[in-house]
Amino acid sequence: MPTNMTLFSINAILILSTDDRTRILTKYYSAPHAPLHAPPGSSYAGANPYPTVKDQKAFEKGLMDKTNKQTSDVILYDNRVVVFKMESDVMLYVVGGADENEVLLFSVVLALRDSLNILLKTSTDKRTIIENYDLVALAIDEIVDDGIILETDPVIIASRVSKPPAQDMVNMKNIDLSEQGLLNVWEFGKQKLAERMRQGL
C-alpha cells in the first residue's frame, strides 16, 4: 500500500512572550485534504489538534512550561515535534507532527529568526515585533503557507517582505501636479502621439 505523500509539514508557528507568557503571534495550520482512508471527523496526521482558542492557549501554556528551562532546541511535546529558539524576551516555536523531520523544522525556525533579525534590524523583542506586526506576519506567510514550507532563505524572505528603500522610490518633489503641470503633460503626450502616428504612416 503506498504511503501518504504530502507537502504539509508544519502544524503551527508560535511567537510567545517569555516575561508575561502571552501570545504575540500564533498561526495554526491544518492539512488542506484529509487522507482517503480517514473517516470524517477523525484525527489524522495533518489535522489541527487544537481547533479552539482554549485548546491552543492550554497547549501554549504547557509548551512554555516545558521549554522554559530547556537547553536543547528540539523536544517532543503532546505527540508533536517542537523546535524553538529564544530571542531576548520572545520564544519562536515551529510545531510539526511526531513523524516530521527535525532538521526541516529547525531550518524553518532559523529562517524565521534570521529573517526577523534582518527585517527588525537585529532587535527581535516583544515591543519591536508588536510595532512591526505586519512585517512579521508577512515573513511567516512567506516562509509557510497553509502548513507547506515555501522558503527558508532569510535574505529572500526579507527582500519579499521589506518596504522598498527610500532612494528606490520615485521622487515626488519634482513632479508638478498643478493644473498647469497636468496640461503640460497632456500637450507633451499629444505631441509624442502625433509624431508616432506620422512615423507610422
Side-chain angles (χ1 to χ4, degrees):
M1 189 165 158
T3 59
N4 202 9
M5 297 292 288
T6 179
L7 293 174
F8 182 82
S9 54
I10 305 291
N11 290 116
I13 292 184
L14 314 170
I15 301 177
L16 304 176
S17 172
T18 56
D19 54 358
D20 56 357
R21 296 177 176 257
T22 57
R23 53 185 359 198
I24 299 172
L25 190 148
T26 60
K27 287 197 168 231
Y28 288 85
Y29 304 104
S30 292
H33 305 289
L36 296 175
H37 62 277
S42 68
S43 177
Y44 53 93
N48 183 359
Y50 316 107
T52 65
V53 175
K54 181 181 176 185
D55 295 339
Q56 292 172 3
K57 286 189 176 183
F59 172 73
E60 292 161 12
K61 181 184 181 310
L63 190 60
M64 284 291 289
D65 292 339
K66 178 92 172 175
T67 59
N68 199 17
K69 302 291 185 211
Q70 288 282 335
T71 56
S72 65
D73 294 331
V74 180
I75 64 166
L76 186 65
Y77 177 73
D78 198 21
N79 203 24
R80 305 269 170 220
V81 174
V82 180
V83 181
F84 60 96
K85 280 287 185 191
M86 183 166 182
E87 286 290 312
S88 70
D89 62 347
V90 295
M91 290 285 274
L92 309 173
Y93 294 98
V94 175
V95 182
D99 56 347
E100 198 55 58
N101 186 345
E102 296 88 3
V103 177
L104 181 70
L105 297 177
F106 195 70
S107 69
V108 172
V109 80
L110 288 180
L112 177 61
R113 182 197 65 185
D114 295 342
S115 61
L116 291 181
N117 281 337
I118 293 169
L119 289 169
L120 304 178
K121 313 272 189 286
T122 68
S123 63
T124 309
D125 58 355
K126 180 180 177 181
R127 180 179 176 160
T128 310
I129 289 174
I130 291 173
E131 288 173 355
N132 297 289
Y133 196 84
D134 55 342
L135 293 177
V136 176
L138 285 172
I140 290 174
D141 288 342
E142 285 294 328
I143 297 170
V144 175
D145 182 35
D146 234 0
I148 298 170
I149 300 169
L150 300 177
E151 184 65 59
T152 57
D153 185 357
V155 175
I156 293 173
I157 295 163
S159 68
R160 289 181 182 166
V161 170
S162 62
K163 300 169 187 156
Q167 68 267 18
D168 292 344
M169 295 187 67
V170 177
N171 189 0
M172 295 296 287
K173 293 179 183 174
N174 298 333
I175 298 176
D176 185 14
L177 295 176
S178 66
E179 187 175 341
Q180 184 60 44
L182 293 175
L183 286 173
N184 291 344
V185 169
W186 175 256
E187 288 300 319
F188 179 75
K190 277 184 11 184
Q191 288 174 352
K192 289 294 180 188
L193 180 64
E195 286 176 18
R196 291 280 183 186
M197 290 188 69
R198 272 189 256 129
Q199 290 175 356
L201 298 175

